[in-house]
Amino acid sequence: MTNPVGAEAPPDIEVRIYRKMLLRIIPIMMLGMFISYIDRANIGVLAEPMSNDLGLTSAAFGLAAGLFYIGYCFFEIPSNMAMAKFGARRWIARIMLSWGVVTMLMGVVQNEATLYVVRVMLGIAEAGFSPGALLFLAMWCPPRMLTKTYSMMNLAVPVALAIGSVVTSALLSMHGLLGIAGWRWAFLIEGVPAILLGIYIWFRLPNSPREVSWLDESEKAYLARSGAQGENASAHEFRQLSAVLRRPAAWMFVLLYFCMSIGYWSITYFLPTIVREQFDLSDAGAGFVSAIPWAFSAVVMLLVARNVTRTGERTWHLTVLQLAGAVGLVVAASSGSAVIALVGISFAGAGFFGSLSTFQSMPAQVFAGSLAAVALAMVNGLASLSGLAGPYVVGVLKDATGSTDRGLLIMSGFFVIAAVLTYFMSRWTDRVTGGLASAARPPAPKASAMTGR
């Protein structure tokens, strides 16, 4: 479904605002996202030495990786509501400071039980950053620029996974320094950047467009009138939570995002293990090869975001990318060739990342006003349970079969379900919001069974 005005160029004022965001706001959110994904996914690179030291089975490791999302899920909504109350600057800084400290605590766990506890704590500490960043950036751009803006922030994720694989693997070379294992050094060192960025954000991040001097009055007025989201003093009130929970659309977005991301998280935590199996590499070598799918995903993400912004079309972009992810995992599981398996995993990663920013633009448009803080957190938080389910299922099947192939085949099925859901949900979103090309802030969705109004 192509919006008839999708190919129109954005007004000059939108271009000016975006360029200023690109210099002053987006890099901060990108860096936060970069650090976030290194700190939550580094456990995948450290799986083998950590498992050897702590005596973890594949299932126990998969559970430990996924327990992050228990705390993350249940604290996403309260965290986003708190951000609406206390302001983006203070709350995002608090999130980063706390998750940096807990990441460092990962370096001192002594057994399976303490590992589980600290992973849950890490999820609680980091909860709210991703949906908070989505809500914050939506205040600085109109709907037609959402996909482009979100893609810049999300670009940090595959870059973090690619660079993080290399950096974390390199930190293993510190093994034995001061009598400390290399995997412990990795956690201790990788928690520091989050603390430093949190301090910077506390002093420098503005809460909203109206606070900054680098936007002129016409640009501030335009954002107040046409931004995808505005400031909402009532967003922290519990009645907003009740209102969102009654909307069928919110639950459909949760289901869609869960199906999109379950295969991705399975790949993220088990990719170094899969690479070691297929290529017979050392930890460091597996880290370097594991960076390839994420580098490919970053390129696809930029190309898709550019085309979606140019055309205003998102239905077929989303649907085809989910199908590509399904095919990629089937190829990875059944090829019998290490190189072809890596190509399949690369397509699966690109299927997720290529569609991520376009998907995020949908709930950000549908739930305007005071519902946005709760809705974005609900979608991101509940769907994040895929990060618990996927790695655990793959880990159990690996213990039972000695291979990750069967788990990858199951995950490919979720990509197929996501393809069907994205087709219908993106068409519905375009119908109730006017599509990504809309230059004005979208009205609340029309009365329908999906919105519950």
Side-chain angles (χ1 to χ4, degrees):
M1 175 178 169
T2 302
N3 193 299
V5 296
E8 292 181 2
D12 288 343
I13 191 169
E14 292 185 7
V15 175
R16 294 202 312 269
I17 292 171
Y18 179 78
R19 286 174 178 169
K20 292 179 179 181
M21 285 177 61
L22 197 58
L23 290 173
R24 298 175 179 269
I25 295 295
I26 294 177
I28 299 174
M29 296 296 104
M30 286 182 69
L31 186 55
M33 193 65 71
F34 178 89
I35 297 170
S36 164
Y37 274 76
I38 285 182
D39 287 349
R40 73 169 72 174
N42 53 11
I43 191 174
V45 180
L46 304 173
E48 185 169 350
M50 170 184 270
S51 296
N52 290 339
D53 280 2
L54 300 182
L56 305 176
T57 64
S58 293
F61 169 76
L63 178 61
L67 281 174
F68 170 94
Y69 298 97
I70 295 293
Y72 191 82
C73 168
F74 290 105
F75 282 82
E76 283 275 82
I77 292 175
S79 180
N80 240 30
M81 295 172 72
M83 191 181 89
K85 180 177 179 63
F86 297 110
R89 179 181 61 81
R90 284 188 291 179
W91 198 250
I92 292 177
R94 194 283 307 162
I95 291 172
M96 300 209 68
L97 289 167
S98 59
W99 104 52
V101 170
V102 177
T103 296
M104 296 181 73
L105 289 178
M106 285 286 295
V108 298
V109 297
Q110 297 299 316
N111 50 44
E112 189 174 312
T114 55
L115 174 61
Y116 290 164
V117 170
V118 177
R119 283 294 288 182
V120 173
M121 289 173 57
L122 184 61
I124 294 172
E126 194 176 323
F129 177 78
S130 184
L134 294 175
L135 181 63
F136 178 68
L137 289 176
M139 295 167 57
W140 299 79
C141 64
R144 90 170 75 219
M145 305 298 286
L146 273 177
T147 295
K148 189 174 182 180
T149 300
Y150 286 170
S151 71
M152 289 303 299
M153 181 184 74
N154 288 327
L155 178 63
V157 180
V159 172
L161 294 174
I163 295 177
S165 296
V166 176
V167 172
T168 303
S169 296
L171 290 174
L172 288 171
S173 65
M174 297 179 66
H175 182 74
L177 180 64
L178 301 180
I180 299 173
W183 64 268
R184 295 186 185 276
W185 276 118
F187 285 123
L188 291 170
I189 291 172
E190 289 180 347
V192 174
I195 295 173
L196 296 178
L197 183 59
I199 294 171
Y200 176 86
I201 286 173
W202 179 272
F203 291 104
R204 298 301 298 270
L205 187 74
N207 283 307
S208 68
R210 62 183 173 82
E211 293 185 3
V212 299
S213 59
W214 43 266
L215 290 175
D216 62 37
E217 292 304 318
S218 65
E219 292 164 345
K220 292 179 182 180
Y222 187 84
L223 286 175
R225 181 177 70 254
S226 302
Q229 295 291 338
E231 292 184 82
N232 292 285
S234 62
H236 64 280
E237 298 174 2
F238 280 99
R239 61 188 174 89
Q240 312 300 347
L241 173 60
S242 175
V244 172
L245 291 176
R246 292 197 304 268
R247 303 291 195 272
W251 293 102
M252 289 300 295
F253 281 131
V254 168
L255 177 61
L256 169 52
Y257 196 25
F258 181 95
C259 292
M260 282 175 59
S261 55
I262 187 169
Y264 155 71
W265 283 118
S266 300
I267 296 170
T268 298
Y269 289 121
F270 278 95
L271 180 56
T273 300
I274 294 169
V275 168
R276 278 193 297 269
E277 288 177 355
Q278 298 282 351
F279 289 89
D280 191 25
L281 295 171
S282 65
D283 291 332
F288 278 96
V289 175
S290 298
I292 294 173
W294 309 129
F296 178 69
S297 298
V299 174
V300 172
M301 175 186 286
L302 288 177
L303 292 176
V304 170
R306 179 179 179 183
N307 204 49
V308 170
T309 300
R310 181 179 62 83
T311 65
E313 198 288 319
R314 58 183 159 194
T315 299
W316 288 110
H317 283 85
L318 285 169
T319 304
V320 170
L321 285 163
Q322 300 313 300
L323 293 175
V327 172
L329 287 185
V330 170
V331 168
S334 58
S335 67
S337 164
V339 173
I340 295 177
L342 188 64
V343 171
I345 289 174
S346 297
F347 271 88
F352 174 76
F353 279 112
S355 56
L356 178 60
S357 301
T358 307
F359 163 77
Q360 289 171 336
S361 69
M362 295 195 294
Q365 281 187 275
V366 168
F367 293 96
S370 57
L371 299 181
V374 173
L376 292 176
M378 174 182 168
V379 171
N380 198 73
L382 293 182
S384 71
L385 290 176
S386 61
L388 169 62
Y392 182 66
V393 168
V394 173
V396 168
L397 290 173
K398 185 178 185 299
D399 283 338
T401 65
S403 171
T404 56
D405 291 350
R406 189 169 297 179
L408 293 181
L409 288 173
I410 292 174
M411 296 306 131
S412 71
F414 283 96
F415 270 120
V416 175
I417 297 171
V420 176
L421 291 173
T422 52
Y423 178 81
F424 290 105
M425 287 300 292
S426 60
R427 289 175 66 89
W428 174 80
T429 299
D430 283 343
R431 186 168 67 250
V432 300
T433 66
L436 277 168
S438 172
R441 182 181 301 169
K446 298 174 183 177
S448 71
M450 288 289 286
T451 59
R453 295 181 181 181

